Amino acid sequence: MRTDYGKNYPGLIASWERAWEEFIPFLAFDREIRRVIYTTNAIESLNYQLRKITKTRRLLRRRRRRRRHQAPLPRYPPHRRPPHRR
């Protein structure tokens, strides 16, 4: 792998070598268990994305509600009202 990718992707090789000791125990699991782990990680990733989206929408809804219930602001402050037009 080092000879195939090392010249073009040195960062990839360095990253792989740093993570190798943590990755080896993962290979000891059966193929089916590894698939469950992959699936679980994918589900957690999807749940994270959904939580992020729904949190943003929740905040926007709260802001809209607050705006609806607030009294409208005067168009001009009293000390800066334009002259009355006829």
Side-chain angles (χ1 to χ4, degrees):
M1 184 163 151
R2 194 175 285 164
T3 57
D4 294 340
Y5 297 103
K7 293 177 185 175
N8 294 330
Y9 306 102
L12 173 74
I13 300 299
S15 176
W16 185 257
E17 289 174 347
R18 281 193 308 271
W20 185 249
E21 291 300 319
E22 296 171 13
F23 182 69
I24 291 173
F26 179 73
L27 297 175
F29 292 111
D30 291 337
R31 175 176 263 154
E32 291 80 21
I33 294 175
R34 289 195 309 249
R35 185 176 299 146
V36 169
I37 293 171
Y38 293 147
T39 305
T40 303
N41 287 341
I43 291 170
E44 288 176 2
S45 176
L46 177 64
N47 284 336
Y48 169 75
Q49 295 295 326
L50 290 174
R51 278 193 307 270
K52 192 166 62 168
I53 290 169
T54 56
K55 179 181 176 184
T56 303
R57 287 185 181 169
R58 216 176 309 131
L59 290 174
L60 290 175
R61 264 190 262 136
R62 286 180 189 164
R63 288 179 187 163
R64 286 185 196 130
R65 278 191 214 135
R66 275 191 223 137
R67 283 188 205 140
R68 262 190 267 146
H69 297 295
Q70 286 176 345
L73 296 173
R75 190 169 185 155
Y76 296 100
H79 63 282
R80 292 192 180 172
R81 284 202 174 135
H84 182 68
R85 294 183 186 173
R86 289 186 184 198

